[in-house]
Amino acid sequence: VQLQASGGGLVQAGGSLRLSCAASGRTFSTRNMGWFRQVPGKEREFVAAISWGGGHTAYADSVKGRFTISRDNAKNTVDLQMNSLKPEDTAIYYCAADRRNSAYYLPLVSADFGSWGQGTQVTVSS
């Protein structure tokens, strides 16, 4: 699976952004998907994940209630709607695909993901 993330930008605190990740490849609809973020000098941090069927999601505590992950298997896309943004949400955001096909358990750590997009910068000003 090849991934291309887009939708990042500069927004004021309290604002919203919607990130999108376009996937190519025939196995997208059988891969759990996730979003991670990384600040320079820090480790990549889990943000959200969604099951291959779209029925199960997981979020980091820091974004729960503010971010929503969704997917459209017909369009091969996975989105991250980010509301009530805070300056601490500033990071490069990456979408990623599970290493496994049709896996039952959601992947929550970067080692579980085998394909990564190029990243999109999100900057939240105070």
Side-chain angles (χ1 to χ4, degrees), residues 76-93:
N76 276 19
T77 58
V78 57
D79 292 349
L80 185 69
Q81 177 66 42
M82 305 185 295
N83 298 328
S84 302
L85 283 161
K86 304 175 181 179
E88 51 263 43
D89 294 318
T90 295
I92 300 173
Y93 283 71

Side-chain angles (χ1 to χ4, degrees), residues 33-116:
M33 298 293 295
W35 285 94
F36 283 72
R37 64 188 183 187
Q38 189 169 23
V39 175
K42 293 190 176 181
E43 289 191 0
R44 196 165 291 189
E45 174 189 24
F46 169 78
V47 175
I50 187 167
S51 61
W52 52 271
H56 300 280
T57 57
Y59 296 93
D61 287 343
S62 58
V63 307
K64 203 171 291 184
R66 299 187 297 122
F67 291 10
T68 302
I69 188 171
S70 61
R71 68 186 296 159
D72 186 334
N73 285 345
K75 296 181 179 179
N76 276 19
T77 58
V78 57
D79 292 349
L80 185 69
Q81 177 66 42
M82 305 185 295
N83 298 328
S84 302
L85 283 161
K86 304 175 181 179
E88 51 263 43
D89 294 318
T90 295
I92 300 173
Y93 283 71
Y94 299 88
C95 59
D98 196 335
R99 293 181 181 278
R100 309 156 296 172
N101 273 323
S102 306
Y104 182 78
Y105 294 103
L106 280 178
L108 301 179
V109 296
S110 59
D112 291 334
F113 293 85
S115 301
W116 295 83

